[in-house]
Amino acid sequence: RKRRYEVGAHNVLLISSIGVVETQFRAQYSHLMQIEAGPFALYDESLFLRRKNYLDSMRRLKKELERKPPKSAAGRAMIDNGGRCPIEVAVECMSLGTLSKLYSNTKPRDVTRGVAASFGAAKREFSSWMRTVTQARNIMAHFGAFAVLRQLPATPVSLENVKGDTRSPFYLALIITRLVSQNAWFAHDEFCYSFMLYQDIGALMAKTPAPILRLLDIPEDWEQQMKDASCGQIFMCIAMQRDAVE
């Protein structure tokens, strides 16, 4: 029971940080696609690279929208627009998996580069990382013991300047750290999401028995790996805390 609790706590930390990434992803994709082709951009097949993938994503989106009550925002929007849903509403209804697949298949470079750049990445990197994040999130959301998997369900593109095993479940924490860092600096720790995740993982490890830590397979140099993944954000937050104490 204790082991299940600690593994579950590990999942909660990661899902919380994934939520930060997911919120920004939805907002950026919706905004840039509207600039590119208007509020009904999702229904323009010419904006996507592979027809089969596009049709599959739209079938999934249709099912996701059909689950919404007629009086919901999505339901009202579809009634008002002849069965079509504006992108700013649709992206809030679709699953992270559907969004990730639509993004990977999106043709306009201003959109794909813009979304990826907001996370300090290129399209190839961001698509790969989100595929890993999505599959891991699905496991955790269904109460699976993600942290004790032998390896990630999808091996991601490696993070630049970060040493670590890309097959290890812990690598997900490094990917999330990079994605939430965004090359931005904040005066308050609560807005430095990479530093918050770093602190939370450290606190969890401090109260977790050694046998369970071995089960979680967290590398000995996890602190340095997270600092490297954060593009310096964690290091700066630590320095700011030290200066405040002094």
Side-chain angles (χ1 to χ4, degrees):
R1 186 178 303 166
K2 174 70 172 177
R3 180 167 63 184
R4 287 199 301 270
Y5 170 78
E6 298 296 353
V7 171
H10 180 274
N11 286 359
V12 169
L13 293 182
L14 295 178
I15 285 182
S16 176
S17 295
I18 289 172
V20 174
V21 174
E22 186 175 346
T23 298
Q24 180 178 338
F25 185 13
R26 293 182 190 278
Q28 288 289 328
Y29 186 74
S30 172
H31 174 64
L32 292 173
M33 281 292 274
Q34 283 193 76
I35 292 175
E36 181 70 30
F40 298 101
L42 291 178
Y43 297 91
D44 185 349
E45 187 179 330
S46 69
L47 296 175
F48 298 88
L49 297 167
R50 289 166 288 278
R51 186 170 192 268
K52 181 179 181 298
N53 293 357
Y54 169 73
L55 294 177
D56 178 63
S57 294
M58 292 304 288
R59 278 193 293 267
R60 293 178 58 177
L61 174 59
K62 181 180 178 181
K63 290 181 180 179
E64 290 162 350
L65 290 172
E66 286 174 346
R67 298 191 191 107
K68 301 299 179 182
K71 293 184 178 181
S72 67
R76 293 195 304 271
M78 293 180 70
I79 291 172
D80 293 341
N81 294 286
R84 299 193 303 172
C85 189
I87 190 169
E88 71 269 17
V89 178
V91 296
E92 296 302 325
C93 298
M94 67 179 65
S95 67
L96 181 58
T98 300
L99 175 61
S100 296
K101 289 181 178 180
L102 279 169
Y103 169 80
S104 295
N105 196 35
T106 296
K107 183 184 295 184
R109 292 184 177 181
D110 286 348
V111 175
T112 55
R113 286 176 176 173
V115 172
S118 72
F119 291 96
K123 180 186 178 181
R124 174 175 173 269
E125 295 172 322
F126 186 67
S127 294
S128 172
W129 297 340
M130 288 310 302
R131 182 169 60 251
T132 298
V133 168
T134 299
Q135 293 189 18
R137 181 188 180 281
N138 289 343
I139 292 172
M140 291 184 283
H142 290 89
F143 305 102
F146 169 80
V148 295
L149 292 178
R150 295 184 65 181
Q151 64 181 50
L152 285 170
T155 303
V157 171
S158 61
L159 295 160
E160 187 177 3
N161 299 322
V162 178
K163 295 180 179 179
D165 183 357
T166 56
R167 298 166 300 177
S168 168
F170 182 75
Y171 206 81
L172 175 67
L174 302 180
I175 290 174
I176 296 171
T177 298
R178 173 63 58 86
L179 291 174
V180 299
S181 294
Q182 305 171 44
N183 296 321
W185 310 97
F186 300 95
H188 301 287
D189 294 346
E190 62 267 26
F191 298 118
C192 292
Y193 297 112
S194 63
F195 184 55
M196 291 171 61
L197 180 60
Y198 169 82
Q199 286 186 309
D200 289 342
I201 288 179
L204 179 61
M205 291 179 65
K207 63 181 182 181
T208 302
I212 297 179
L213 282 180
R214 288 194 293 271
L215 183 68
L216 295 176
D217 196 26
I218 296 177
E220 292 184 1
D221 63 340
W222 70 270
E223 292 183 85
Q224 186 59 51
Q225 288 188 23
M226 289 193 72
K227 289 175 183 176
D228 293 339
S230 75
C231 300
Q233 189 180 85
I234 291 174
F235 175 81
M236 289 298 296
C237 287
I238 292 173
M240 288 167 64
Q241 278 196 344
R242 184 177 61 247
D243 291 345
V245 171
E246 295 175 352

